[in-house]
Amino acid sequence: MGKIVITSNTTVDGVVQDPDGAEGFEHGGWFHQAATPADLAAWAARETQEALAAEALLLGRRSSEWFESRTPQFGARVSHDWAERMNSLPKYVVSSTLQQPRWHNTTVLNGDAAKEISELKRRIDGEILVYGSYQLARTLIAENLADELRLVVFPIAVGTGLRLFDQSSERTPLHLVDTRQLSAGLVFHTYEFAHDHRS
């Protein structure tokens, strides 16, 4: 049975939008503004360990295209092992518009998202990572398909911007599994979703 893990970088005030500043968001670029080289080295080591332990990636179309276009650059900046693993992992992209994915080893899920992802969880034994893909992540949470949430918190508050839970109309109980300091500036939290919260 697979475990769906939503993994994200976030500001102290919960903003996940435009960490690298490429989207043109007025408060974008906080990823590098808030992190020292030592912070980024610790972040890269964690990212690599996480990717190496995963069995698959689950992404929305825009996030899939973003990572596909940038993985070679990340490989030079983060870790060859991370970039190689990102390219080799089976990738499942939820999209009704993507016809011919360019990224190697990609399968498009274009039917009933909840049904197809439930089937994916039954087929895959291990961690299925969700990077970015915030609309998809919200669907996973709403449908009780997400199992774990991992957050790397950067030491900056930007005031406004897209947050992971900002469109939720229900409470979402979580159980804290682990919290630790990755470096002088970064804190890493792991939570489990309480799947029985609506029963």
Side-chain angles (χ1 to χ4, degrees):
M1 185 73 173
K3 179 171 77 170
I4 291 183
V5 178
I6 298 170
T7 179
S8 183
N9 303 306
T10 178
T11 66
V12 168
D13 54 342
V15 173
V16 295
Q17 185 176 358
D18 199 11
D20 69 351
E23 299 172 27
F25 171 51
E26 62 178 329
H27 300 302
W30 49 264
F31 182 97
H32 288 285
Q33 294 168 8
T36 66
D39 291 330
L40 295 178
W43 172 88
R46 194 209 70 83
E47 288 281 312
T48 300
Q49 182 183 39
E50 181 176 67
L52 291 173
E55 295 299 324
L57 297 176
L58 178 62
L59 304 165
R61 180 186 59 81
R62 289 179 62 189
S63 290
S64 173
E65 292 173 349
W66 191 91
F67 278 103
E68 186 271 335
S69 68
R70 289 168 172 78
T71 296
Q73 302 169 31
F74 281 131
R77 195 174 67 203
V78 178
S79 156
H80 174 74
D81 290 339
W82 183 85
E84 189 175 75
R85 185 61 173 161
M86 287 287 287
N87 284 323
S88 65
L89 275 171
K91 289 165 279 288
Y92 298 88
V93 179
V94 178
S95 174
S96 60
T97 59
L98 182 62
Q99 300 296 323
Q100 296 181 324
R102 296 178 300 172
W103 205 358
H104 171 71
N105 208 10
T106 296
T107 300
V108 178
L109 306 180
N110 59 7
D112 183 303
K115 183 177 179 181
E116 291 195 278
I117 293 167
S118 293
E119 177 58 31
L120 185 66
K121 288 183 71 172
R122 285 191 288 271
R123 292 201 319 265
I124 293 178
D125 185 19
E127 292 184 356
I128 304 167
L129 296 181
V130 180
Y131 285 135
S133 310
Y134 299 114
Q135 182 175 342
L136 171 60
R138 292 186 184 110
T139 298
L140 294 169
I141 294 167
E143 295 290 338
N144 274 349
L145 290 168
D147 299 292
E148 192 168 286
L149 174 64
R150 297 174 185 166
L151 298 174
V152 178
V153 182
F154 282 65
I156 188 171
V158 296
T160 62
L162 181 70
R163 293 170 168 83
L164 182 59
F165 292 97
D166 63 4
Q167 294 181 15
S168 176
S169 60
E170 297 190 23
R171 294 182 181 180
T172 306
L174 301 136
H175 301 304
L176 180 64
V177 175
D178 183 43
T179 186
R180 57 191 168 92
Q181 191 168 353
L182 287 181
S183 60
L186 304 183
V187 179
F188 177 51
H189 302 292
T190 303
Y191 298 91
E192 287 180 347
F193 286 92
H195 286 301
D196 59 350
H197 73 275
R198 294 180 193 169
S199 58

